[in-house]
């Protein structure tokens, strides 16, 4: 299969969902606030994304106390969010290096094995996905994921981002803070592969707003069936659209002053 991502992009309902998400992002990028203040919108989106990612990892605290929070999961989410802007070009050429860096930032204070693939079957499971694959299988599938990121494809960026997110979330290659890494890698893919180059879309907020559908979507992906994989990509497209809504609300608030 020369372009597996293109095959996924052609699954039922995927093209329509991806197109709708793309249109939502395009509308966001036309907002007048972004002419002068896109870096500030990006920063506020990143903070909301970090809060949502920590919540999905099991630590849900109010946005206004996030910067002062001492919980290691929240601190990890904030460190990851702050680093993403410096990892873009490396993600395309050396994704394994970026994943190790993301885990080092995300899992500090949670484990001593920072940036290293897990050597045992044990892995945290805050979403109730089920047992993680054996370490050897996880390594082999991460190798395949690296090839997808570094290869060329005709598939939209959102499809690649969805696959990146799901593979990392279900494989749990590090055993700790894998959800933080997975969601950061999704956002990084959306930015670096052109859907959201200014990192405005709070896609993590979208996943959080979808509630139990987030874990259900990952379990559907894990089934490996075309229906399950397509359902997950459609879920990610919806999360992007909800993330656009969050970013638009940031723009509107800034416009009102």
């Amino acid at each position: 299969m020369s372009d597996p991502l293109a095959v996924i992009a052609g699954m039922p309902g995927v093209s329509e969902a991806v197109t709708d998400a793309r249109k939502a992002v395009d509308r966001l990028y036309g907002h007048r606030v972004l002419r002068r203040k896109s870096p500030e919108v990006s920063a506020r989106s990143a903070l909301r994304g970090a809060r949502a990612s920590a919540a999905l990892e099991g630590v849900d605290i109010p946005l206004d106390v996030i910067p002062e929070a001492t919980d290691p999961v929240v601190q990890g989410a904030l460190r990851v969010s702050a680093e993403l802007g410096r990892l873009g070009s490396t993600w395309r050429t050396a994704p394994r290096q970026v994943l190790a860096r993301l885990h080092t930032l995300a899992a500090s204070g949670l484990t001593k094995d920072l940036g290293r693939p897990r050597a045992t079957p044990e892995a945290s499971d805050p979403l109730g996905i089920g047992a993680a694959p054996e370490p050897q299988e996880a390594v082999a599938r991460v190798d395949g994921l690296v090839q997808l990121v570094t290869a060329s494809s005709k598939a939209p960026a959102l499809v690649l981002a969805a696959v990146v997110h799901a593979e990392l979330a279900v494989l749990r290659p590090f055993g700790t803070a894998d959800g933080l890494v997975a969601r950061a890698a999704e956002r990084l893919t959306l930015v670096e592969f052109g859907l959201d180059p200014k990192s405005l879309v709070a896609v993590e907020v979208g996943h959080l707003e979808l509630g139990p559908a987030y874990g259900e979507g990952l379990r559907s992906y894990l089934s490996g069936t075309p229906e399950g994989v397509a359902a997950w990509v459609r879920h990610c497209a919806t999360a992007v659209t909800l993330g656009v809504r969050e970013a638009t609300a940031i723009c509107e608030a800034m416009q009102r002053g």
Side-chain angles (χ1 to χ4, degrees):
M1 191 181 301
S2 59
D3 192 349
L5 293 174
V7 174
I8 295 173
M11 289 177 176
V14 169
S15 178
E16 295 85 351
V18 169
T19 296
D20 288 346
R22 169 84 260 182
K23 290 178 179 177
V25 174
D26 289 344
R27 287 193 296 271
L28 168 64
Y29 271 67
H31 200 289
R32 66 178 64 185
V33 164
L34 298 175
R35 298 172 190 170
R36 296 175 289 107
K37 296 184 177 181
S38 64
E40 186 175 348
V41 175
S42 177
R44 295 189 185 189
S45 170
L47 183 62
R48 285 159 174 77
R51 189 205 77 83
S53 193
L56 289 165
E57 206 70 5
V59 184
D60 192 354
I61 62 177
L63 181 66
D64 59 352
V65 299
I66 281 284
E68 291 78 36
T70 58
D71 184 277
V73 172
V74 176
Q75 286 296 309
L78 289 170
R79 285 191 297 269
V80 164
S81 179
E83 184 79 359
L84 284 185
R86 292 185 283 271
L87 296 175
S89 59
T90 309
W91 179 234
R92 280 182 173 271
T93 58
R96 203 187 310 274
Q97 177 182 330
V98 171
L99 292 175
R101 176 61 177 161
L102 289 175
H103 185 255
T104 298
L105 294 166
S108 180
L110 298 172
T111 181
K112 295 180 180 179
D113 296 321
L114 298 175
R116 301 174 186 170
R118 58 182 168 87
T120 68
E122 287 75 31
S124 60
D125 187 18
L127 296 171
I129 296 172
E134 291 292 326
Q136 297 86 346
E137 180 184 349
V139 168
R141 285 181 60 173
V142 169
D143 287 344
L145 182 61
V146 165
Q147 292 177 14
L148 287 179
V149 174
T150 55
S152 60
S153 173
K154 295 181 179 178
L158 198 155
V159 173
L160 175 59
V163 171
V164 165
H165 183 161
E167 285 290 302
L168 294 171
V170 302
L171 294 177
R172 284 160 280 167
F174 300 105
T176 55
D178 292 290
L180 295 180
V181 173
R183 290 181 288 274
E186 178 189 32
R187 185 163 183 151
L188 186 58
T189 303
L190 294 174
V191 171
E192 184 61 23
F193 285 79
L195 180 63
D196 179 26
K198 295 182 180 179
S199 194
L200 304 174
V201 179
V203 62
E204 306 92 341
V205 173
H207 290 300
L208 182 62
E209 287 190 10
L210 289 167
Y214 179 58
E216 293 166 5
L218 286 169
R219 286 188 288 274
S220 294
Y221 178 90
L222 187 58
S223 72
T225 65
E227 295 80 10
V229 173
W232 168 249
V233 179
R234 294 195 301 268
H235 167 95
C236 289
T238 302
V240 166
T241 301
L242 291 172
V244 166
R245 187 177 70 181
E246 184 75 9
T248 302
I250 294 170
C251 291
E252 294 295 331
M254 291 174 63
Q255 185 168 277
R256 290 192 299 269

